[in-house]
Amino acid sequence: MQPNPLLEMNGLPPFHAIRPEHAEPAIDAILAENRAALDRLTAAAVQPTWDNLVVPLETLDDNLQRIWSPVSHLNAVLNSEPLRAAYNACLPKLSAYTTELGQNEALYRALETLAAGDEYEQLDTAQRKFLDNTLRDFRLSGVALAPAEKERFKTIAAQLSSLTAQFEENVLDA
């Protein structure tokens, strides 16, 4: 198996070494890692704190962005049919993951517990704002919807992702 530069980055992305065939395996790997880490975070029977909940969540997001950002950038500036196909193959996976994350009730409850706890008052203004906005984003992502409505939300989010990608392609092609 060939090394995947997206999975082996230290420092800045090695744009010269990233190929279209690296994108989907890297996204699959990081999404699997993130889902497993989320399961561990939400299964932990500890009082949620900034350090044991929010910091790990931000690390997961950073890890995903570290892989996806170079692919997205290359697609925008060095667009080709193979890269476009790889990019488009990843979009539904990313959309599904983002929707799953936004509708993760266990994670939402943990964040609510943090916001309602004593530590909330000890957080600085930026941390409280971040937590408040994150809880708002969960509500906007449909965390409180009935199961059928959650599925409808997922379908609409996937369609929106596809339409956005099509629009971007049309702009690039123009």
Side-chain angles (χ1 to χ4, degrees), residues 128-173:
R128 285 194 304 270
K129 179 69 171 160
F130 177 86
L131 186 55
D132 294 343
N133 287 352
T134 300
L135 289 168
R136 178 208 58 209
D137 293 347
F138 268 88
R139 291 186 293 276
L140 292 174
S141 293
V143 72
L145 294 174
E149 291 170 324
K150 282 184 178 182
E151 284 304 314
R152 175 81 175 121
F153 186 99
K154 287 178 185 178
T155 301
I156 291 169
Q159 290 172 335
L160 179 59
S161 176
S162 176
L163 290 170
T164 300
Q166 184 61 52
F167 178 80
E168 290 171 354
E169 287 177 10
N170 291 343
V171 170
L172 282 170
D173 291 344

Side-chain angles (χ1 to χ4, degrees), residues 31 34-35 38 42 57 60-61 64 93-112 133-146 149-151 153-154 157:
L31 292 179
N34 280 11
R35 285 181 173 114
L38 284 168
T42 56
L57 286 174
L60 296 178
D61 186 55
L64 175 58
K93 296 174 183 194
L94 292 165
S95 178
Y97 172 77
T98 303
T99 304
E100 286 170 26
L101 186 63
Q103 294 182 354
N104 186 319
E105 292 177 32
L107 184 55
Y108 178 68
R109 283 191 304 275
L111 289 164
E112 276 188 320
N133 287 352
T134 300
L135 289 168
R136 178 208 58 209
D137 293 347
F138 268 88
R139 291 186 293 276
L140 292 174
S141 293
V143 72
L145 294 174
E149 291 170 324
K150 282 184 178 182
E151 284 304 314
F153 186 99
K154 287 178 185 178

